[in-house]
Amino acid sequence: MKLRDLKQEIIKTLSGTDGVLRPSWEASLILATCLGVGREKLVSMGEEDVSPHVALEMTARRAKGEPLAYVLGTMDFLQWNFLVGPGCLIPRPETEVLASLAAETLGPRGRFLDWGTGSGCIACSLAMMVDGSQGVAMDASPGALKWAWRNVQRYRLSNRVLLVHGSSAHFISQDLTPFDLVVANPPYIPSEHMGELDGSVSRFEPHLALNGGDGGIQVPVEWLRGAVRLLRAGGQVLMETAGDWQLSILEALEIEGLSFVGSHQDQFGVRRVGRW
Ligand code: GLN
């Protein structure tokens, strides 16, 4: 099939799909991914004969509402590109701010814990941004750790980022502690609001990575309490939150051994990240 015709067919299918805002752009991404070429290269390939099967399969998944990142199998995060798919939360742009703050906070050769690592995007980018740093990337979901492991291997970080399957501080062996920094993008959506998520999020992304329990703070509070036993004296926690209203609750909590230091806005002007 000629690439030009295949692209038209993909655009036609995606034009009728809810949530697809730019069918032509998505068609180019799907084709570039299938053919293993940059998008700019496609322009001159219109007359070339290509096999349509993989591209049409990807298009069919997208047409059923699956997030584009899962269909393509990758998501950009800071200056890197992470492998993603069903089982891990798709990295969000707000979280780039969290990772950058973590990199500014962690000194060279610092030791960090990325609690709830998901795809591993925070742990891997942090290790790559801070010379000689080492960290533990923990997640309760084996399905997420599979993606984190792929990314750790992809960026050759297996000697600096250790993956741990676990859901609490107890899963971190004593000899890995203390950490200079605990960084986390915990599940923080209030259980009572889970029903309001976009269909493509709620039908496809792991609820374990999203549902923060009552008020969305049950899990964040548990993790803040757990972090106390893992940090060195003077160590810090950086945690992403749902925003100003949730940070106001978290910053007012009394947690023994931890004091609130301040907060940071994300790139959209939302007070997003708390520092303890
Ligand atoms: N920011 C994500 C969303 O709105 C939620 C991520 C999280 O709970 N950590 O879908």
Side-chain angles (χ1 to χ4, degrees):
M1 191 170 183
K2 285 216 188 311
L3 182 81
R4 180 193 309 285
D5 300 328
L6 178 56
K7 182 167 180 192
Q8 280 317 311
E9 188 169 335
I10 295 172
I11 291 175
K12 202 172 133 209
T13 305
L14 294 184
S15 296
T17 301
D18 268 357
V20 177
L21 301 177
R22 291 178 287 175
S24 169
W25 179 72
E26 293 204 8
S28 303
L29 286 172
I30 287 174
L31 286 167
T33 301
C34 288
L35 300 169
V37 299
R39 254 183 320 138
E40 70 292 342
K41 193 104 196 292
L42 292 176
V43 185
S44 60
M45 292 174 66
E47 297 306 318
E48 284 189 30
D49 257 319
V50 295
S51 160
H53 302 292
V54 177
L56 291 178
E57 239 170 67
M58 287 166 78
T59 305
R61 284 172 64 189
R62 183 69 180 122
K64 285 187 195 137
E66 191 168 341
L68 182 64
Y70 282 175
V71 172
L72 298 176
T74 66
M75 181 68 184
D76 291 340
F77 185 81
L78 293 169
Q79 63 263 51
W80 296 282
N81 177 263
F82 288 91
L83 303 173
V84 297
C88 73
L89 189 78
I90 299 165
R92 309 289 203 262
E94 306 86 283
T95 307
E96 294 179 331
V97 173
L98 175 69
S100 303
L101 287 166
E104 288 163 22
T105 304
L106 192 70
R109 291 177 302 286
R111 299 169 63 89
F112 66 87
L113 167 66
D114 172 19
W115 193 332
T117 194
S119 65
C121 63
I122 298 173
C124 291
S125 58
L126 186 51
M128 289 190 278
M129 284 187 280
V130 181
D131 284 344
S133 60
Q134 286 195 326
V136 173
M138 176 163 73
D139 208 287
S141 158
L145 283 173
K146 183 183 82 176
W147 292 104
W149 175 237
R150 288 179 179 163
N151 287 311
V152 164
Q153 282 186 306
R154 177 176 201 190
Y155 289 110
R156 302 181 180 283
L157 292 168
S158 54
N159 54 348
R160 294 176 53 208
V161 177
L162 177 73
L163 298 181
V164 169
H165 180 215
S167 54
S168 75
H170 303 284
F171 289 82
I172 308 282
S173 115
Q174 285 255 321
D175 45 308
L176 295 171
T177 64
F179 297 105
D180 302 299
L181 174 71
V182 173
V183 59
N185 172 20
Y188 54 64
I189 310 267
S191 299
E192 55 278 22
H193 294 165
M194 284 294 289
E196 295 158 26
L197 288 173
D198 270 3
S200 77
V201 176
S202 71
R203 280 170 51 219
F204 293 95
E205 295 196 73
H207 287 199
L208 188 65
L210 294 163
N211 190 343
D214 289 345
I217 62 165
Q218 224 170 308
V219 177
V221 170
E222 219 174 88
W223 292 14
L224 286 171
R225 292 213 168 100
V228 177
R229 39 195 295 165
L230 302 172
L231 283 173
R232 69 162 165 80
Q236 292 203 343
V237 180
L238 282 167
M239 185 179 275
E240 184 175 321
T241 72
D244 182 55
W245 65 271
Q246 193 171 68
L247 259 177
S248 305
I249 299 170
L250 292 173
E251 71 190 22
L253 285 177
E254 298 227 359
I255 298 174
E256 205 185 320
L258 206 60
S259 39
F260 183 74
V261 177
S263 61
H264 303 268
Q265 290 194 349
D266 66 17
Q267 63 271 62
F268 309 111
V270 175
R271 200 161 77 94
R272 176 70 69 183
V273 175
R275 184 190 290 272
W276 283 262

